[in-house]
Amino acid sequence: FMPLDHPRHLSLMSMLEKYYYSRFYCGVYLQFHDMDKYLKYHHTDYLVDHWEKQFNQDFSKKNIWGHPDDQLFAKSMLDLDKKHNKIQKSRLDILLTISTHNPYLVPNQEKYIGQISSELKKRGKKNKFEQFVEQNIEKFAACRDTDEAIRNEVREMKKRKDYSNTIFFILGDQ
């Protein structure tokens, strides 16, 4: 995303622009590392640039990466219903998750840490992997949060009639 001189090249968005309406979502503000310029260069139709008050602004101020993954997916659905429901093309939705990035802050972190700790405790003596999980429990809690956000998003999208004509790329930063 950095503002470097790139040779002209194809991207999935630019290759599919004739047939797909592309949307890009990320919890960070898109001016970070010039993501917005890069995505516009590749003809992305919609970039999230506004977050309604219903999204937890307080949490987003605590986390340098902005909005957590559950809000990212909820924002995508809200926009789909409010702004993009009349689009005639199929959609290419790209969602870049950030909750699994250091500092691994997620809204329900204590819940996930408790779940993981409880599961590790039930196992008794810990092998090397379980010790690794215990030493990095915040990372694994963030992954659980992202997994739950993705599961909820897919569950909601399956209810929509345009589900079978939509391509989703859910990318994580790390």
Side-chain angles (χ1 to χ4, degrees), residues 76-93:
S76 166
M77 292 295 289
L78 180 69
D79 285 352
L80 189 56
D81 291 335
K82 281 186 167 182
K83 298 178 181 180
H84 305 130
N85 58 356
K86 304 230 186 307
I87 302 296
Q88 296 301 309
K89 291 180 177 180
S90 294
R91 279 189 341 275
L92 170 64
D93 286 352

Side-chain angles (χ1 to χ4, degrees), residues 8 29 47 55 63 67 75-76 79 101-102 140 142 168:
R8 185 75 185 139
Y29 293 95
L47 306 175
F55 297 105
N63 186 350
H67 296 279
K75 172 66 172 152
S76 166
D79 285 352
H101 192 292
N102 187 353
F140 286 91
F168 297 92

Side-chain angles (χ1 to χ4, degrees), residues 5-12 14-15 38 41-43:
D5 288 334
H6 295 285
R8 185 75 185 139
H9 60 282
L10 293 175
S11 70
L12 191 57
S14 62
M15 290 187 322
Y38 180 84
Y41 172 82
H42 286 288
H43 307 225

Side-chain angles (χ1 to χ4, degrees), residues 26 53 60 68 73 89 111 130 138 143 157 160 170:
C26 185
K53 288 183 181 182
S60 299
F73 292 117
K89 291 180 177 180
K111 170 185 137 182
E130 291 162 335
E138 292 85 8
C143 289
M157 286 304 299
R160 300 180 60 87
I170 303 172

Side-chain angles (χ1 to χ4, degrees), residues 8-25:
R8 185 75 185 139
H9 60 282
L10 293 175
S11 70
L12 191 57
M13 289 149 322
S14 62
M15 290 187 322
L16 296 176
E17 71 181 313
K18 182 175 177 182
Y19 305 103
Y20 287 87
Y21 180 81
S22 58
R23 302 184 323 150
F24 180 85
Y25 287 81

